Amino acid sequence: MDSVRGQGGIQMLLTAEQDAQHIVNSARTAKTARLRQAKNEAEREVQLYRTNMEAEYEKMISDTSGSSGSNVKRLEEETDAKIKNLKESSSKVRSDIVSMLMKYVTTVKT
């Protein structure tokens, strides 16, 4: 009887070991599936973030390049106005400066 009971105990241990192996295998499979799912979710989030950042960058580039054209135009207008003012100022004092230069060139110190 002891041998029958001993074999039954061994059989129960083998069955329990097989059940434990199935549980471990299914846990590994679930873990692998979850890791794969997490990786896919992370890749989607990274792609979404990248897309948003690229769109924001493109918007910033278009905003600054558009304003740069207006800045160039504004600077050209300011430069033209300054040149005009300088020409007007120089034309007002031109005769005085020419007279002064002529005086210094033609006058000899003795």
XYZ file of all heavy atoms in Angstrom:
857
model
N 0.804 -1.178 0.000
C 0.000 0.000 0.000
C 0.861 1.262 0.000
O 0.462 2.226 -0.610
C -0.858 -0.097 1.238
C -2.013 0.719 1.313
S -3.404 -0.081 0.589
C -4.597 0.983 0.901
N 1.982 1.180 0.685
C 2.855 2.340 0.738
C 3.390 2.681 -0.647
O 3.536 3.850 -0.990
C 4.040 2.068 1.682
C 3.632 2.148 3.138
O 2.618 2.824 3.396
O 4.325 1.559 3.974
N 3.668 1.688 -1.462
C 4.162 1.956 -2.806
C 3.097 2.587 -3.673
O 3.373 3.444 -4.505
C 4.689 0.667 -3.454
O 3.624 -0.224 -3.710
N 1.831 2.212 -3.505
C 0.732 2.821 -4.263
C 0.569 4.260 -3.822
O 0.401 5.160 -4.643
C -0.574 2.016 -4.067
C -1.755 2.734 -4.700
C -0.436 0.624 -4.619
N 0.588 4.433 -2.510
C 0.451 5.797 -2.009
C 1.665 6.630 -2.401
O 1.544 7.804 -2.726
C 0.284 5.768 -0.494
C -0.278 7.060 0.029
C -0.715 6.968 1.437
N 0.469 6.970 2.297
C 0.449 6.856 3.605
N -0.689 6.647 4.222
N 1.539 6.892 4.315
N 2.836 6.080 -2.448
C 4.053 6.775 -2.841
C 4.005 7.165 -4.300
O 4.390 8.274 -4.688
N 3.486 6.247 -5.145
C 3.371 6.563 -6.561
C 2.302 7.618 -6.797
O 2.431 8.476 -7.665
C 3.048 5.304 -7.368
C 4.224 4.380 -7.494
C 3.867 3.131 -8.289
O 2.710 2.912 -8.643
N 4.877 2.326 -8.552
N 1.243 7.594 -6.022
C 0.191 8.610 -6.128
C 0.718 9.974 -5.729
O 0.384 10.994 -6.329
N 1.577 10.000 -4.719
C 2.184 11.263 -4.289
C 3.127 11.812 -5.342
O 3.150 13.022 -5.616
N 3.882 10.915 -5.961
C 4.789 11.344 -7.034
C 3.984 11.863 -8.210
O 4.317 12.885 -8.810
C 5.707 10.169 -7.457
C 6.681 9.850 -6.313
C 6.467 10.510 -8.719
C 7.536 8.618 -6.574
N 2.899 11.167 -8.524
C 2.027 11.604 -9.637
C 1.436 12.979 -9.338
O 1.356 13.836 -10.225
C 0.916 10.575 -9.880
C 0.127 10.825 -11.129
C 0.986 10.757 -12.393
O 1.913 9.944 -12.493
N 0.707 11.615 -13.340
N 1.030 13.193 -8.083
C 0.476 14.499 -7.700
C 1.544 15.586 -7.826
O 1.260 16.694 -8.296
C -0.046 14.468 -6.258
C -1.395 13.800 -6.135
S -2.006 13.689 -4.446
C -1.650 15.238 -3.740
N 2.771 15.268 -7.446
C 3.863 16.231 -7.566
C 4.152 16.552 -9.035
O 4.370 17.711 -9.406
C 5.136 15.712 -6.889
C 5.145 15.755 -5.366
C 6.404 15.064 -4.835
C 5.075 17.178 -4.870
N 4.148 15.547 -9.883
C 4.367 15.771 -11.309
C 3.263 16.623 -11.917
O 3.515 17.526 -12.718
C 4.485 14.430 -12.057
C 5.746 13.615 -11.786
C 5.644 12.243 -12.465
C 6.967 14.360 -12.265
N 2.040 16.350 -11.529
C 0.901 17.130 -12.019
C 1.010 18.573 -11.528
O 0.779 19.522 -12.298
C -0.427 16.507 -11.538
O -0.477 15.138 -11.941
C -1.614 17.255 -12.101
N 1.368 18.737 -10.270
C 1.517 20.082 -9.715
C 2.651 20.822 -10.421
O 2.538 22.028 -10.719
C 1.772 20.007 -8.215
N 3.744 20.115 -10.732
C 4.865 20.737 -11.439
C 4.446 21.168 -12.843
O 4.792 22.262 -13.301
C 6.038 19.760 -11.524
C 7.272 20.365 -12.154
C 8.416 19.362 -12.247
O 8.297 18.228 -11.761
O 9.446 19.756 -12.822
N 3.680 20.319 -13.508
C 3.190 20.677 -14.852
C 2.252 21.878 -14.794
O 2.323 22.778 -15.642
C 2.486 19.481 -15.498
C 3.424 18.392 -15.938
C 2.675 17.180 -16.482
O 1.452 17.086 -16.344
N 3.412 16.255 -17.091
N 1.380 21.909 -13.814
C 0.476 23.058 -13.648
C 1.275 24.337 -13.384
O 0.981 25.403 -13.956
C -0.500 22.807 -12.497
C -1.554 21.756 -12.825
O -1.727 21.457 -14.037
O -2.183 21.238 -11.877
N 2.293 24.226 -12.542
C 3.122 25.386 -12.242
C 3.858 25.847 -13.500
O 3.973 27.057 -13.766
C 4.120 25.054 -11.130
N 4.337 24.905 -14.302
C 5.022 25.242 -15.547
C 4.074 25.955 -16.503
O 4.451 26.931 -17.153
C 5.606 23.985 -16.200
C 6.548 24.257 -17.340
C 7.787 25.027 -16.896
O 8.336 24.796 -15.823
N 8.224 25.950 -17.710
N 2.827 25.503 -16.589
C 1.825 26.166 -17.441
C 1.555 27.591 -16.958
O 1.439 28.516 -17.759
C 0.514 25.360 -17.469
C 0.590 24.105 -18.252
N 0.865 24.073 -19.600
C 0.429 22.803 -17.869
C 0.864 22.830 -20.021
N 0.611 22.019 -18.980
N 1.470 27.751 -15.642
C 1.227 29.081 -15.073
C 2.399 30.005 -15.388
O 2.208 31.154 -15.809
C 0.987 28.987 -13.546
C -0.348 28.287 -13.270
C 1.005 30.369 -12.912
C -0.571 27.934 -11.808
N 3.634 29.510 -15.225
C 4.825 30.316 -15.500
C 4.878 30.677 -16.989
O 5.155 31.827 -17.362
C 6.106 29.567 -15.055
C 7.361 30.236 -15.599
C 6.162 29.461 -13.542
N 4.597 29.696 -17.851
C 4.613 29.959 -19.294
C 3.558 30.983 -19.699
O 3.828 31.891 -20.509
C 4.420 28.662 -20.091
C 5.659 27.796 -20.074
O 6.754 28.270 -19.817
N 5.475 26.507 -20.335
N 2.366 30.863 -19.149
C 1.323 31.832 -19.497
C 1.669 33.216 -18.945
O 1.393 34.243 -19.586
C -0.049 31.368 -19.008
O -0.074 31.268 -17.614
N 2.320 33.280 -17.783
C 2.740 34.575 -17.238
C 3.817 35.200 -18.119
O 3.797 36.407 -18.383
C 3.247 34.402 -15.809
N 4.767 34.384 -18.611
C 5.795 34.896 -19.517
C 5.171 35.405 -20.815
O 5.565 36.455 -21.326
C 6.807 33.800 -19.842
C 7.796 33.556 -18.746
C 8.846 32.545 -19.169
N 9.728 32.257 -18.048
C 10.331 31.108 -17.854
N 10.169 30.118 -18.717
N 11.110 30.938 -16.817
N 4.235 34.660 -21.335
C 3.565 35.070 -22.569
C 2.817 36.382 -22.360
O 2.892 37.291 -23.202
C 2.583 33.970 -23.031
O 3.296 32.745 -23.163
C 1.935 34.334 -24.346
N 2.121 36.499 -21.228
C 1.385 37.736 -20.935
C 2.357 38.905 -20.763
O 2.093 40.026 -21.234
C 0.532 37.549 -19.684
N 3.479 38.640 -20.094
C 4.474 39.694 -19.889
C 5.050 40.154 -21.227
O 5.181 41.359 -21.481
C 5.592 39.177 -18.993
C 6.713 40.178 -18.757
C 7.814 39.582 -17.908
C 8.983 40.548 -17.797
N 10.113 39.942 -17.078
N 5.381 39.214 -22.099
C 5.924 39.548 -23.415
C 4.913 40.351 -24.225
O 5.265 41.347 -24.871
C 6.311 38.260 -24.170
O 7.238 37.521 -23.388
C 6.925 38.574 -25.512
N 3.659 39.932 -24.175
C 2.612 40.655 -24.910
C 2.459 42.071 -24.371
O 2.317 43.029 -25.141
C 1.290 39.903 -24.817
N 2.486 42.208 -23.059
C 2.345 43.543 -22.448
C 3.535 44.427 -22.808
O 3.367 45.619 -23.074
C 2.205 43.412 -20.936
C 2.102 44.735 -20.220
C 0.863 45.527 -20.628
N 0.929 46.852 -20.072
C 0.834 47.975 -20.756
N 0.623 47.939 -22.058
N 0.920 49.148 -20.173
N 4.752 43.871 -22.808
C 5.926 44.652 -23.189
C 5.833 45.110 -24.640
O 6.169 46.249 -24.967
C 7.205 43.844 -22.976
C 7.652 43.660 -21.529
C 8.829 42.691 -21.449
C 8.030 44.992 -20.904
N 5.370 44.227 -25.516
C 5.190 44.580 -26.918
C 4.158 45.709 -27.062
O 4.356 46.666 -27.805
C 4.736 43.344 -27.697
C 5.344 43.263 -29.061
C 4.974 41.976 -29.782
N 5.859 40.895 -29.384
C 5.465 39.691 -28.972
N 4.191 39.395 -28.940
N 6.326 38.780 -28.618
N 3.065 45.575 -26.310
C 2.017 46.597 -26.346
C 2.556 47.935 -25.826
O 2.298 48.990 -26.418
C 0.824 46.148 -25.511
C -0.323 47.144 -25.483
C -1.430 46.707 -24.535
O -1.284 45.744 -23.781
N -2.539 47.418 -24.565
N 3.319 47.906 -24.736
C 3.878 49.144 -24.174
C 4.853 49.789 -25.159
O 4.866 51.019 -25.315
C 4.580 48.848 -22.849
N 5.642 48.958 -25.840
C 6.581 49.485 -26.834
C 5.828 50.163 -27.966
O 6.193 51.266 -28.404
C 7.450 48.354 -27.384
C 8.443 48.803 -28.416
C 9.235 47.637 -28.959
C 10.142 48.115 -30.082
N 10.786 47.013 -30.771
N 4.760 49.538 -28.454
C 3.964 50.134 -29.534
C 3.316 51.445 -29.098
O 3.294 52.420 -29.855
C 2.899 49.148 -30.013
C 3.494 47.967 -30.758
O 4.608 48.052 -31.260
N 2.773 46.865 -30.798
N 2.798 51.465 -27.863
C 2.197 52.700 -27.347
C 3.242 53.807 -27.245
O 2.978 54.962 -27.592
C 1.566 52.443 -25.979
C 0.298 51.612 -26.030
C -0.216 51.261 -24.643
O 0.369 51.703 -23.624
O -1.205 50.515 -24.573
N 4.428 53.470 -26.766
C 5.495 54.465 -26.640
C 5.907 54.988 -28.013
O 6.115 56.200 -28.183
C 6.699 53.864 -25.921
N 6.005 54.106 -29.002
C 6.353 54.547 -30.355
C 5.290 55.473 -30.922
O 5.617 56.470 -31.581
C 6.546 53.331 -31.269
C 7.825 52.580 -30.998
C 7.956 51.305 -31.821
O 6.987 50.917 -32.515
O 9.025 50.686 -31.763
N 4.015 55.184 -30.671
C 2.942 56.082 -31.132
C 3.032 57.445 -30.460
O 2.872 58.480 -31.108
C 1.570 55.455 -30.872
C 1.152 54.427 -31.901
C -0.329 54.085 -31.798
N -0.700 53.534 -30.492
C -0.666 52.251 -30.179
N -0.282 51.373 -31.061
N -1.035 51.848 -28.984
N 3.314 57.444 -29.152
C 3.443 58.715 -28.434
C 4.627 59.522 -28.952
O 4.527 60.742 -29.114
C 3.586 58.464 -26.937
C 2.307 58.043 -26.256
C 2.484 57.852 -24.751
O 3.410 58.466 -24.174
O 1.703 57.100 -24.172
N 5.739 58.852 -29.209
C 6.923 59.542 -29.728
C 6.622 60.128 -31.099
O 6.972 61.279 -31.392
C 8.130 58.572 -29.789
C 9.254 59.140 -30.637
C 8.625 58.263 -28.391
N 5.948 59.368 -31.946
C 5.611 59.850 -33.285
C 4.655 61.047 -33.208
O 4.826 62.026 -33.935
C 4.988 58.721 -34.124
C 4.736 59.116 -35.551
C 6.007 59.522 -36.281
O 7.074 58.977 -36.050
N 5.908 60.503 -37.139
N 3.681 60.975 -32.318
C 2.746 62.093 -32.144
C 3.480 63.330 -31.653
O 3.275 64.436 -32.164
C 1.643 61.699 -31.158
C 0.594 62.760 -30.846
C -0.218 63.092 -32.105
C -0.327 62.281 -29.739
N 4.372 63.155 -30.677
C 5.154 64.284 -30.155
C 6.028 64.871 -31.246
O 6.105 66.092 -31.409
C 6.002 63.802 -28.975
C 6.834 64.885 -28.339
C 6.246 65.829 -27.498
C 8.195 64.977 -28.579
C 7.001 66.836 -26.920
C 8.953 65.965 -28.002
C 8.357 66.885 -27.167
O 9.109 67.879 -26.608
N 6.689 64.006 -32.024
C 7.554 64.469 -33.105
C 6.737 65.256 -34.130
O 7.161 66.317 -34.592
C 8.256 63.283 -33.770
C 9.118 63.704 -34.954
C 9.868 62.537 -35.556
N 10.943 62.193 -34.638
C 11.257 60.948 -34.288
N 10.600 59.935 -34.784
N 12.248 60.718 -33.456
N 5.575 64.745 -34.474
C 4.722 65.431 -35.440
C 4.310 66.809 -34.927
O 4.356 67.793 -35.668
C 3.464 64.586 -35.733
O 3.879 63.293 -36.193
C 2.587 65.232 -36.770
N 3.942 66.879 -33.661
C 3.557 68.164 -33.068
C 4.724 69.141 -33.054
O 4.562 70.324 -33.377
C 3.027 67.965 -31.650
C 1.666 67.320 -31.620
O 0.940 67.318 -32.614
N 1.312 66.736 -30.503
N 5.903 68.657 -32.671
C 7.080 69.528 -32.624
C 7.465 70.015 -34.023
O 7.810 71.181 -34.205
C 8.271 68.798 -31.998
C 8.145 68.546 -30.512
S 8.407 70.038 -29.533
C 6.774 70.521 -29.125
N 7.376 69.139 -35.013
C 7.705 69.546 -36.382
C 6.705 70.572 -36.894
O 7.080 71.541 -37.557
C 7.751 68.320 -37.304
C 8.978 67.471 -37.090
C 8.973 66.190 -37.914
O 7.956 65.898 -38.581
O 9.996 65.487 -37.881
N 5.423 70.380 -36.576
C 4.411 71.349 -36.990
C 4.654 72.699 -36.330
O 4.552 73.749 -36.973
C 3.015 70.825 -36.647
N 4.995 72.675 -35.053
C 5.275 73.923 -34.330
C 6.507 74.615 -34.920
O 6.528 75.832 -35.091
C 5.499 73.604 -32.852
C 5.637 74.815 -31.974
C 5.760 74.444 -30.503
O 5.029 73.537 -30.055
O 6.586 75.073 -29.819
N 7.527 73.824 -35.264
C 8.743 74.372 -35.860
C 8.438 74.995 -37.220
O 8.896 76.111 -37.509
C 9.785 73.261 -35.999
C 11.038 73.693 -36.704
C 11.969 74.512 -36.072
C 11.300 73.292 -38.010
C 13.128 74.910 -36.719
C 12.444 73.686 -38.664
C 13.354 74.493 -38.018
O 14.479 74.889 -38.667
N 7.678 74.295 -38.041
C 7.313 74.822 -39.358
C 6.511 76.120 -39.222
O 6.719 77.071 -39.972
C 6.509 73.785 -40.149
C 7.312 72.589 -40.588
C 8.434 72.937 -41.540
O 8.271 73.856 -42.362
O 9.488 72.284 -41.449
N 5.613 76.164 -38.242
C 4.819 77.381 -38.013
C 5.738 78.526 -37.605
O 5.589 79.648 -38.088
C 3.771 77.125 -36.934
C 2.867 78.314 -36.670
C 1.835 77.984 -35.610
C 0.902 79.121 -35.363
N 1.474 80.193 -34.581
N 6.691 78.232 -36.724
C 7.622 79.263 -36.269
C 8.470 79.766 -37.440
O 8.679 80.972 -37.588
C 8.528 78.703 -35.175
C 9.464 79.726 -34.571
S 10.526 79.051 -33.288
C 11.586 77.985 -34.243
N 8.924 78.855 -38.288
C 9.722 79.241 -39.451
C 8.903 80.124 -40.386
O 9.381 81.157 -40.859
C 10.237 77.991 -40.201
C 11.261 77.243 -39.363
C 10.832 78.347 -41.549
C 12.526 78.020 -39.090
N 7.669 79.728 -40.641
C 6.844 80.528 -41.554
C 6.523 81.893 -40.951
O 6.481 82.893 -41.661
C 5.559 79.782 -41.909
O 4.711 79.673 -40.783
N 6.322 81.940 -39.631
C 6.051 83.226 -38.979
C 7.264 84.144 -39.059
O 7.141 85.324 -39.364
C 5.672 83.023 -37.511
C 4.288 82.417 -37.346
O 3.537 82.363 -38.346
O 3.954 81.986 -36.221
N 8.440 83.613 -38.785
C 9.623 84.469 -38.782
C 10.041 84.857 -40.193
O 10.510 85.962 -40.403
C 10.809 83.782 -38.073
O 11.071 82.531 -38.700
C 10.525 83.586 -36.608
N 9.872 83.954 -41.154
C 10.252 84.331 -42.517
C 9.284 85.352 -43.083
O 9.674 86.232 -43.836
C 10.329 83.095 -43.425
O 9.054 82.526 -43.576
N 8.019 85.269 -42.707
C 7.060 86.271 -43.150
C 7.365 87.628 -42.559
O 7.340 88.655 -43.229
N 7.701 87.670 -41.285
C 8.020 88.943 -40.651
C 9.384 89.440 -41.099
O 9.653 90.623 -41.058
C 7.963 88.801 -39.134
O 8.994 87.956 -38.677
N 10.250 88.549 -41.532
C 11.554 88.994 -41.996
C 11.405 89.792 -43.287
O 12.119 90.751 -43.518
C 12.466 87.787 -42.166
O 12.947 87.651 -43.448
N 10.463 89.395 -44.141
C 10.195 90.173 -45.353
C 9.693 91.559 -45.013
O 10.114 92.549 -45.616
N 8.817 91.650 -44.028
C 8.333 92.966 -43.621
C 9.441 93.754 -42.921
O 9.502 94.977 -43.037
C 7.112 92.828 -42.715
O 7.451 92.188 -41.505
N 10.323 93.056 -42.197
C 11.452 93.738 -41.558
C 12.392 94.323 -42.605
O 12.882 95.441 -42.444
C 12.239 92.778 -40.658
C 11.545 92.514 -39.346
O 10.682 93.273 -38.927
N 11.919 91.427 -38.707
N 12.634 93.575 -43.663
C 13.500 94.076 -44.734
C 12.887 95.314 -45.355
O 13.572 96.324 -45.583
C 13.737 92.972 -45.793
C 14.379 93.542 -47.037
C 14.576 91.849 -45.214
N 11.597 95.270 -45.613
C 10.922 96.418 -46.218
C 10.979 97.632 -45.288
O 11.268 98.744 -45.720
C 9.469 96.060 -46.524
C 8.722 97.143 -47.248
C 7.321 96.714 -47.587
C 6.581 97.827 -48.304
N 5.201 97.468 -48.610
N 10.734 97.390 -44.001
C 10.763 98.478 -43.022
C 12.168 99.075 -42.939
O 12.332 100.304 -42.915
C 10.340 97.958 -41.644
C 10.332 99.026 -40.548
C 9.993 98.440 -39.192
N 10.826 97.325 -38.807
C 12.037 97.436 -38.239
N 12.554 98.620 -38.020
N 12.729 96.365 -37.902
N 13.198 98.213 -42.911
C 14.569 98.708 -42.852
C 14.939 99.500 -44.101
O 15.640 100.521 -44.017
C 15.547 97.551 -42.658
C 15.541 96.909 -41.277
C 16.428 95.673 -41.265
C 15.983 97.900 -40.223
N 14.478 99.041 -45.263
C 14.748 99.788 -46.493
C 14.101 101.164 -46.449
O 14.714 102.168 -46.838
C 14.234 99.010 -47.703
C 15.094 97.819 -48.070
C 14.512 97.027 -49.221
O 13.352 97.288 -49.634
O 15.219 96.132 -49.714
N 12.869 101.239 -45.943
C 12.186 102.531 -45.836
C 12.922 103.451 -44.861
O 13.101 104.642 -45.135
C 10.741 102.319 -45.384
C 9.861 101.678 -46.440
C 8.485 101.302 -45.914
O 8.231 101.453 -44.695
O 7.649 100.867 -46.736
N 13.351 102.890 -43.715
C 14.085 103.702 -42.740
C 15.408 104.200 -43.324
O 15.790 105.349 -43.117
C 14.346 102.897 -41.468
C 13.125 102.657 -40.621
C 13.419 101.806 -39.397
O 14.613 101.470 -39.151
O 12.464 101.470 -38.685
N 16.094 103.322 -44.039
C 17.370 103.702 -44.653
C 17.168 104.794 -45.686
O 17.933 105.775 -45.733
C 18.027 102.464 -45.304
O 18.188 101.453 -44.308
C 19.369 102.809 -45.899
N 16.150 104.649 -46.524
C 15.868 105.677 -47.529
C 15.550 107.016 -46.873
O 16.003 108.068 -47.333
C 14.701 105.240 -48.431
C 15.082 104.088 -49.346
O 16.289 103.859 -49.560
O 14.154 103.414 -49.857
N 14.781 106.978 -45.773
C 14.445 108.217 -45.069
C 15.705 108.867 -44.483
O 15.881 110.095 -44.568
C 13.434 107.933 -43.961
N 16.592 108.051 -43.918
C 17.827 108.604 -43.351
C 18.724 109.189 -44.433
O 19.326 110.251 -44.244
C 18.575 107.529 -42.562
C 17.907 107.188 -41.245
C 18.671 106.119 -40.485
C 17.959 105.783 -39.189
N 18.679 104.750 -38.428
N 18.807 108.491 -45.572
C 19.610 109.017 -46.690
C 19.040 110.342 -47.171
O 19.788 111.304 -47.432
C 19.678 107.989 -47.836
C 20.543 106.798 -47.417
C 20.214 108.618 -49.112
C 20.517 105.638 -48.389
N 17.747 110.424 -47.262
C 17.108 111.673 -47.698
C 17.411 112.802 -46.719
O 17.742 113.924 -47.130
C 15.595 111.455 -47.813
C 14.839 112.654 -48.304
C 13.355 112.368 -48.377
C 12.593 113.626 -48.735
N 11.151 113.440 -48.659
N 17.312 112.510 -45.416
C 17.608 113.521 -44.397
C 19.068 113.979 -44.480
O 19.360 115.181 -44.355
C 17.330 112.977 -42.992
C 15.846 112.890 -42.697
O 15.033 113.537 -43.351
N 15.493 112.069 -41.716
N 19.987 113.029 -44.685
C 21.398 113.403 -44.802
C 21.647 114.272 -46.033
O 22.421 115.239 -45.977
C 22.274 112.147 -44.862
C 22.452 111.391 -43.553
C 23.181 110.072 -43.789
C 23.209 112.243 -42.553
N 21.003 113.936 -47.147
C 21.173 114.749 -48.352
C 20.630 116.160 -48.142
O 21.256 117.145 -48.566
C 20.463 114.090 -49.541
C 21.227 112.902 -50.085
C 20.525 112.310 -51.289
C 21.311 111.137 -51.838
N 20.676 110.529 -53.008
N 19.497 116.266 -47.491
C 18.911 117.586 -47.221
C 19.824 118.385 -46.298
O 20.068 119.580 -46.519
C 17.519 117.438 -46.600
C 16.459 116.960 -47.569
C 15.121 116.693 -46.885
O 15.004 116.864 -45.649
O 14.187 116.286 -47.597
N 20.340 117.732 -45.252
C 21.231 118.427 -44.313
C 22.509 118.881 -45.013
O 22.978 120.009 -44.794
C 21.618 117.509 -43.150
O 20.483 117.083 -42.459
N 23.068 117.982 -45.827
C 24.316 118.349 -46.495
C 24.094 119.436 -47.539
O 24.957 120.295 -47.741
C 24.957 117.112 -47.147
O 24.130 116.621 -48.178
N 22.949 119.448 -48.204
C 22.703 120.505 -49.203
C 22.536 121.877 -48.528
O 22.877 122.898 -49.117
C 21.486 120.173 -50.051
O 20.311 120.218 -49.271
N 22.059 121.903 -47.293
C 21.885 123.164 -46.573
C 23.234 123.779 -46.213
O 23.381 125.001 -46.225
C 21.057 122.947 -45.299
C 19.598 122.657 -45.560
C 18.847 122.439 -44.260
C 17.403 122.056 -44.521
N 16.673 121.722 -43.306
N 24.200 122.958 -45.841
C 25.480 123.492 -45.382
C 26.576 123.358 -46.426
O 27.730 123.707 -46.157
C 25.920 122.801 -44.070
C 24.986 123.140 -42.934
C 26.073 121.315 -44.245
N 26.245 122.887 -47.604
C 27.251 122.655 -48.645
C 28.013 123.926 -48.996
O 29.244 123.937 -49.054
C 26.581 122.082 -49.887
C 27.574 121.854 -51.037
C 26.923 121.228 -52.219
N 26.591 119.850 -51.838
C 25.791 119.077 -52.541
N 25.219 119.526 -53.624
N 25.543 117.857 -52.153
N 27.299 124.990 -49.227
C 27.983 126.220 -49.642
C 28.906 126.735 -48.543
O 30.008 127.211 -48.820
C 26.966 127.281 -50.044
O 26.163 127.614 -48.929
N 28.494 126.643 -47.288
C 29.342 127.080 -46.175
C 30.604 126.227 -46.079
O 31.708 126.745 -45.861
C 28.581 126.999 -44.846
C 27.430 127.996 -44.770
O 27.470 129.009 -45.513
O 26.498 127.753 -43.973
N 30.481 124.954 -46.270
C 31.635 124.058 -46.179
C 32.590 124.295 -47.341
O 33.817 124.332 -47.157
C 31.173 122.585 -46.137
C 30.457 122.315 -44.816
C 32.340 121.617 -46.300
C 29.863 120.947 -44.681
N 32.045 124.481 -48.546
C 32.900 124.747 -49.706
C 33.658 126.049 -49.494
O 34.857 126.134 -49.760
C 32.068 124.768 -51.003
C 32.882 125.298 -52.172
C 31.519 123.381 -51.304
N 32.984 127.056 -48.986
C 33.644 128.347 -48.723
C 34.743 128.192 -47.689
O 35.855 128.722 -47.849
C 32.635 129.378 -48.217
O 31.652 129.601 -49.168
N 34.474 127.456 -46.650
C 35.464 127.262 -45.597
C 36.681 126.505 -46.146
O 37.826 126.874 -45.872
C 34.842 126.478 -44.436
C 35.794 126.236 -43.286
S 35.081 125.228 -41.974
C 34.981 123.651 -42.779
N 36.439 125.459 -46.920
C 37.554 124.701 -47.504
C 38.378 125.562 -48.464
O 39.606 125.488 -48.473
C 37.030 123.451 -48.225
C 36.539 122.312 -47.328
C 35.910 121.216 -48.168
C 37.677 121.751 -46.505
N 37.694 126.327 -49.260
C 38.405 127.203 -50.207
C 39.269 128.210 -49.448
O 40.390 128.496 -49.848
C 37.414 127.932 -51.117
C 36.758 127.040 -52.139
S 37.922 126.229 -53.235
C 38.504 127.593 -54.190
N 38.749 128.715 -48.359
C 39.491 129.674 -47.557
C 40.765 129.036 -47.009
O 41.844 129.626 -47.077
C 38.603 130.176 -46.415
C 39.305 131.114 -45.481
C 38.366 131.501 -44.360
C 39.147 132.165 -43.257
N 38.389 132.271 -42.032
N 40.665 127.810 -46.461
C 41.837 127.152 -45.896
C 42.840 126.725 -46.978
O 44.035 126.746 -46.731
C 41.421 125.929 -45.056
C 40.889 126.303 -43.706
C 39.556 126.109 -43.373
C 41.738 126.880 -42.750
C 39.066 126.452 -42.131
C 41.244 127.238 -41.507
C 39.902 127.020 -41.202
O 39.429 127.370 -39.969
N 42.331 126.345 -48.127
C 43.237 125.911 -49.196
C 43.972 127.104 -49.796
O 45.160 127.031 -50.125
C 42.435 125.149 -50.282
C 43.252 124.926 -51.535
C 41.949 123.835 -49.741
N 43.297 128.217 -49.940
C 43.916 129.359 -50.601
C 44.687 130.269 -49.655
O 45.453 131.121 -50.092
C 42.854 130.184 -51.343
O 41.846 130.586 -50.403
C 42.250 129.380 -52.468
N 44.496 130.124 -48.386
C 45.183 130.979 -47.411
C 46.524 130.332 -47.042
O 46.578 129.150 -46.720
C 44.336 131.170 -46.140
O 43.061 131.660 -46.505
C 45.016 132.108 -45.181
N 47.562 131.155 -47.101
C 48.900 130.669 -46.761
C 49.305 131.338 -45.464
O 49.209 132.544 -45.297
C 49.898 131.047 -47.861
C 51.311 130.583 -47.486
C 49.465 130.482 -49.190
N 49.796 130.504 -44.538
C 50.275 131.054 -43.269
C 51.707 131.473 -43.442
O 52.515 130.791 -44.032
C 50.200 130.007 -42.175
C 48.821 129.723 -41.688
C 48.885 128.821 -40.473
C 47.508 128.571 -39.938
N 47.536 127.732 -38.740
N 52.011 132.649 -42.923
C 53.378 133.144 -43.049
C 54.033 133.338 -41.720
O 53.554 133.338 -40.677
C 53.421 134.478 -43.808
O 52.561 135.371 -43.160
C 53.167 134.247 -45.222
